[in-house]
Amino acid sequence: MTLKELQTLLAIKGITCGEEEASLLESYMFYILDKNEKVNLTAIKDKNEFMSKMIFDSALPLLLTDFNDKKVLDIGTGAGFPGSVINILSTADVSLLDSTAKKTKVIDGFKNKFFHTINARAEEYARLHRKEYDIVIARAVADLSILLELAIPLLKVGGYFIAMKGPEAYNEIEKSCHALRKLNCSVVKTDEHTLPTGDKRVNILIRKDKDNSLRYPRNYKEIKERPL
Ligand code: SAH
């Protein structure tokens, strides 16, 4: 896939990616692919696969709500996905959070654009930053019922959590009924896409309807052993 093709595929979805943004996305891709040879960041080593599964996929949440000028947190960002792409393609104020310092350090080392990184565990960060964010997003971090407990307390009432999933999304929603209720949030919609590689993606848009009990999030051991 060329950069032009990526721009066209995004345009077909209704996502604007100008020349400057496209070249930033490309330079970030080459930066991560290069770092990946020394630090294990992603299993994806092929440029086409990277453009499809990392860049194109990361832009799709932009279709679910208006990110411009919003305060956004990407939980478990890894090498910066989806947060870096959303940062480049919108005017959102995006923070990239990961518990692995090695990964946030790599993101910090990219010199062509500043990305705000946070090296912390989401459940610990959430207890100190309740109701600070308009949008929280996560891709490939944990099951939905676990993610909800990490993400929802961080949101302002009326804010959105976007969970980026594959076809297992529907099962996970069914298994998260109790967590959704306990955390006063609800599924607004699901958004299906097929990536250029043929992989199916399902993004879930969840709204925080009311404030949360200060009990949540619990510590990670409890969250994992007894998911809501
Ligand atoms: N979102 C990226 C990375 C997914 S891998 C992508 O889609 O490419 C999952 C990442 O989540 C890892 O980097 C791991 O360090 C981080 N992670 C897992 N649990 C976490 C937690 N409780 N708090 C913060 N980061 C977490």
Side-chain angles (χ1 to χ4, degrees):
M1 191 191 302
T2 63
L3 207 52
K4 263 267 159 286
E5 283 165 343
L6 173 71
Q7 280 177 286
T8 306
L9 286 172
L10 288 170
I12 290 169
K13 291 283 184 188
I15 299 167
T16 310
C17 175
E19 297 302 321
E20 202 178 308
E21 289 77 21
S23 100
L24 258 180
L25 290 171
E26 187 182 46
S27 62
Y28 190 61
M29 170 178 74
F30 285 131
Y31 172 75
I32 293 297
L33 284 174
D34 178 56
K35 287 285 167 193
N36 207 31
E37 293 187 4
K38 291 183 210 88
V39 189
N40 186 19
L41 297 165
T42 163
I44 297 170
K45 296 182 171 60
D46 171 71
K47 186 177 152 242
N48 278 328
E49 214 184 335
F50 198 101
M51 283 207 183
S52 173
K53 291 190 182 167
M54 304 299 272
I55 300 178
F56 181 77
D57 186 30
S58 292
L60 296 173
L62 291 166
L63 299 170
L64 277 171
T65 181
D66 182 9
F67 276 74
N68 287 319
D69 305 327
K70 298 281 168 37
K71 196 169 154 65
V72 178
L73 182 69
D74 177 11
I75 288 181
T77 191
F81 296 89
S84 63
V85 176
I86 286 170
N87 184 311
I88 290 169
L89 295 180
S90 76
T91 60
D93 166 12
V94 187
S95 298
L96 312 177
L97 177 142
D98 204 284
S99 55
T100 309
K102 188 181 77 173
K103 295 187 180 177
T104 51
K105 274 209 190 96
V106 166
I107 301 171
D108 291 340
F110 183 62
K111 296 297 172 227
N112 298 5
K113 184 168 173 77
F114 171 76
F115 293 126
H116 181 223
T117 59
I118 301 166
N119 175 219
R121 291 208 57 90
E123 61 280 11
E124 287 163 14
Y125 184 80
R127 273 187 231 120
L128 303 172
H129 298 271
R130 291 178 189 282
K131 297 199 277 182
E132 281 188 14
Y133 290 86
D134 299 298
I135 301 169
V136 174
I137 187 157
R139 186 180 86 154
V141 177
D143 279 350
L144 184 62
S145 59
I146 293 178
L147 275 179
L148 288 170
E149 187 164 348
L150 305 179
I152 303 296
L154 288 156
L155 286 173
K156 298 173 187 171
V157 172
Y160 290 112
F161 172 48
I162 299 174
M164 300 176 66
K165 296 281 176 186
E168 77 281 6
Y170 303 104
N171 267 334
E172 290 199 24
I173 292 172
E174 269 181 37
K175 285 191 195 136
S176 301
C177 285
H178 188 248
L180 287 162
R181 217 172 325 117
K182 280 280 177 198
L183 293 159
N184 297 328
C185 56
S186 49
V187 174
V188 178
K189 67 168 169 177
T190 52
D191 193 25
E192 285 191 23
H193 297 277
T194 305
L195 301 182
T197 44
D199 299 84
K200 300 268 184 239
R201 309 291 304 153
V202 182
N203 293 331
I204 312 170
L205 181 70
I206 293 156
R207 184 180 186 275
K208 175 162 170 174
D209 301 315
K210 277 190 271 171
D211 219 343
N212 296 128
S213 156
L214 295 180
R215 286 187 58 206
Y216 307 118
R218 297 165 294 164
N219 65 51
Y220 201 68
K221 190 165 174 279
E222 270 186 275
I223 297 175
K224 247 199 122 94
E225 283 173 9
R226 289 187 292 115
L228 285 178

